[in-house]
Amino acid sequence: MNMIKKWTINKIVVASVSLLLLFMFYLIPAKPNIETEVIERDEVLKENVVYLLDNDNYVSRVVTYYDKTDIKDIIRNKIDILTNSDKKNFYSLIPKDTKLNDVKVEKDAVYLDFSSEILTVNKYIEEEMIEAIVYSVTEINGINSVYITVDSKELKTLPNSSKELNYPLTRKYGINKKYNIDSFDNIDTTTVFFSKTSDDDIYYVPVTYVTNTSGEKIDIIIEELKSSINSQDNLNSFVSNMVEVVDYNIDKDKFNLVFNEYIFGDLEKNVILEEVKYVISASIFENYDVKKIVFNTKDQKNVAEIVKK
């Protein structure tokens, strides 16, 4: 009888301990419940426009982004991209071993001092390299000119062709130049923006036309944007070859344009394509000192307004 009682007591004790352990196991989680806080950085990235070589060997306007505010840091970032670009379908123009020794900014001018490796640039793209540097740096508001030195000595000529560089280097230096001249008298330049596509993304290519003409730049701009020859060179504009400038005038810092109805991409909806507005306005801003462009037609006023950034 005592044996049975002892056995029963042992069973009760074992069962009680098991229940207690099970209860404690239930209360204590296998892993600590640690709350984590995700902190997101509230950054506003800004456009950092640089000019890189595309697959058709055009120096092209490419948009990247940056979070810098100091102008020297912005310039260094641009030069770094021009030296070590990893942008798909676009290529850097400055030799990869090149170092930017120093950057100075004085009023509207930037002084860039490079290491001697910049002189090893391929002879076929040496002029395009200078174009890319000048156009990339002068995309910064308030910066109009660039001076280049190599190990503190002025770069007076292109490294291979010995073509003279006339300082200050401004956007009048031109980019993707096309020549149509029969004399060295009355030479003028007009830069026109075209559109291209890379992996379904649209980007823009400026082309500087060097001519003897004394005609108005707006006429040259529209005629080149309409030209089928440029389409054959993979340069597009979406501007109909039926477009005509009926009238235009400059009122202080505003450029007023009056077109015929073919400026519309859709004649029924009377809508101007965004690509058309961009190539025309970018070309005008490049050649005229204005801050606003107003698109009109013979029948409608203020169809669209573009303000310079």
Side-chain angles (χ1 to χ4, degrees):
M1 187 70 177
N2 290 332
M3 288 292 294
I4 295 173
K5 185 178 180 179
K6 187 177 181 180
W7 181 83
T8 303
I9 292 171
N10 287 339
K11 290 285 288 183
I12 293 172
V13 170
V14 171
S16 299
V17 171
S18 298
L19 286 171
L20 179 61
L21 291 173
L22 183 63
F23 182 70
M24 291 177 66
F25 181 78
Y26 178 79
L27 290 177
I28 302 173
K31 294 182 180 179
N33 184 19
I34 301 174
E35 292 186 2
T36 58
E37 182 181 2
V38 178
I39 300 176
E40 296 183 359
R41 297 178 65 185
D42 186 17
E43 291 181 346
V44 178
L45 297 178
K46 297 180 180 180
E47 283 191 359
N48 187 22
V49 175
V50 294
Y51 287 79
L52 300 171
L53 203 66
D54 73 0
N55 287 321
D56 291 323
N57 294 322
Y58 282 107
V59 185
S60 307
R61 185 183 189 275
V62 178
V63 177
T64 61
Y65 295 90
Y66 68 98
D67 58 358
K68 307 295 184 184
T69 56
D70 181 76
I71 190 169
K72 289 186 179 180
D73 289 338
I74 295 170
I75 293 169
R76 287 186 179 278
N77 180 258
K78 287 177 180 286
I79 298 302
D80 181 61
I81 296 172
L82 294 183
T83 309
N84 304 288
S85 172
D86 59 358
K87 189 82 170 177
K88 185 180 178 183
N89 297 327
F90 295 94
Y91 309 94
S92 54
L93 287 143
I94 300 175
K96 289 192 177 297
D97 294 331
T98 304
K99 302 292 187 295
L100 180 59
N101 296 328
D102 192 26
V103 178
K104 292 181 181 179
V105 180
E106 295 182 3
K107 295 182 180 179
D108 69 340
V110 168
Y111 297 79
L112 303 173
D113 184 52
F114 292 96
S115 65
S116 60
E117 284 79 8
I118 196 172
L119 302 177
T120 65
V121 61
N122 186 298
K123 65 180 180 180
Y124 296 109
I125 60 169
E126 61 177 359
E127 189 161 8
E128 285 80 359
M129 178 184 73
I130 301 298
E131 294 171 357
I133 293 172
V134 172
Y135 269 69
S136 296
V137 173
T138 55
E139 281 286 336
I140 301 172
N141 284 337
I143 299 299
N144 298 316
S145 57
V146 178
Y147 295 81
I148 299 174
T149 57
V150 179
D151 290 334
S152 300
K153 295 181 180 179
E154 185 179 79
L155 181 65
K156 295 182 178 181
T157 62
L158 293 177
N160 296 287
S161 65
S162 296
K163 182 178 179 180
E164 186 177 358
L165 293 173
N166 296 312
Y167 291 98
L169 295 172
T170 68
R171 290 170 88 94
K172 289 184 179 180
Y173 183 77
I175 188 167
N176 298 310
K177 302 180 189 72
K178 293 190 175 185
Y179 293 87
N180 183 20
I181 58 175
D182 50 28
S183 75
F184 290 104
D185 298 324
N186 300 319
I187 293 178
D188 197 9
T189 60
T190 304
T191 300
V192 182
F193 276 79
F194 296 89
S195 63
K196 293 188 70 179
T197 304
S198 173
D199 292 340
D200 297 326
D201 291 329
I202 293 176
Y203 63 97
Y204 295 93
V205 175
V207 175
T208 299
Y209 293 90
V210 184
T211 64
N212 292 119
T213 182
S214 59
E216 274 293 332
K217 291 182 183 291
I218 184 59
D219 295 328
I220 297 173
I221 290 169
I222 299 303
E223 286 306 311
E224 292 298 339
L225 289 175
K226 291 165 50 177
S227 174
S228 60
I229 295 176
N230 293 312
S231 298
Q232 294 168 14
D233 290 340
N234 293 327
L235 296 172
N236 302 309
S237 69
F238 298 96
V239 176
S240 167
N241 60 3
M242 301 290 288
V243 166
E244 298 291 343
V245 178
V246 178
D247 193 15
Y248 67 89
N249 67 78
I250 299 175
D251 181 13
K252 295 181 180 179
D253 60 356
K254 183 169 66 175
F255 200 111
N256 294 297
L257 283 163
V258 182
F259 292 97
N260 62 7
E261 66 275 15
Y262 290 101
I263 192 63
F264 297 122
D266 188 330
L267 293 178
E268 293 182 359
K269 295 182 179 179
N270 290 348
V271 174
I272 304 176
L273 295 175
E274 290 300 316
E275 293 83 359
V276 170
K277 286 190 286 187
Y278 184 89
V279 294
I280 292 176
S281 60
S283 301
I284 291 174
F285 287 136
E286 194 70 30
N287 294 279
Y288 291 90
D289 185 19
V290 293
K291 295 180 180 179
K292 180 188 288 187
I293 298 168
V294 181
F295 288 75
N296 308 279
T297 66
K298 290 185 293 184
D299 301 322
Q300 298 185 54
K301 292 185 178 180
N302 286 59
V303 178
E305 288 189 4
I306 307 296
V307 178
K308 189 175 184 179
K309 294 181 180 180

